[in-house]
Amino acid sequence: MIRILVIDDDVLFRQVIAEYLTSAGYEVSQADNGLSGINLFRTDPTDLVIIDIIMPEQEGMGTIIELRKDFPDVKIIAISGGAQAGGVDYLGFATKLGAVGALAKPFGEEQLLAAVREALGEE
């Protein structure tokens, strides 16, 4: 079974994503910030990481950089509600750092599943 780690500080949004993914047949683990997400990934690696960009403790950009450095083959989808805040294209920058996909919040179940399937090479 394909395993996905969802890292997002918004507990309700994270649970909705996990529900969508579980309903689609994926096994899902969750973390509430980049630091706990990296620690979880180190002990229990997954096939894909979906990561929010703006979070406390350790934000998404630093987490993407660390994951890419230590696990260069990990597939990452970046998500953000502040995709273009203050003139900065966070999701575009995340893809330059190695995210294979990016979604601006809010997004629907079909958008999420299409991005996941594409990232995993299932389409």
Side-chain angles (χ1 to χ4, degrees):
M1 176 178 283
I2 292 175
R3 300 175 61 246
I4 300 173
L5 170 59
V6 178
I7 306 172
D8 194 318
D9 61 313
D10 182 332
V11 65
L12 294 177
F13 195 78
R14 189 176 69 237
Q15 288 174 343
V16 168
I17 291 173
E19 220 172 90
Y20 289 161
L21 296 170
T22 302
S23 294
Y26 300 105
E27 183 180 320
V28 180
S29 54
Q30 301 178 43
D32 62 358
N33 64 63
L35 186 59
S36 61
I38 284 176
N39 290 334
L40 182 56
F41 189 87
R42 286 186 195 288
T43 59
D44 192 19
T46 59
D47 301 293
L48 175 69
V49 177
I50 298 174
I51 184 167
D52 189 23
I53 298 300
I54 302 170
M55 296 181 289
E57 293 285 327
Q58 182 170 315
E59 47 77 35
M61 295 298 187
T63 305
I64 291 170
I65 290 168
E66 191 170 338
L67 283 169
R68 277 276 166 239
K69 183 180 123 231
D70 295 344
F71 307 95
D73 295 330
V74 65
K75 293 174 178 66
I76 299 169
I77 295 175
I79 60 175
S80 181
Q84 289 190 325
V88 177
D89 179 7
Y90 290 109
L91 292 175
F93 190 57
T95 58
K96 288 179 181 163
L97 291 175
V100 297
L103 291 171
K105 293 178 183 177
F107 50 80
E109 181 176 5
E110 289 307 313
Q111 284 178 288
L112 173 67
L113 295 177
V116 166
R117 287 190 288 270
E118 183 176 333
L120 294 170
E122 295 180 331
E123 288 192 326

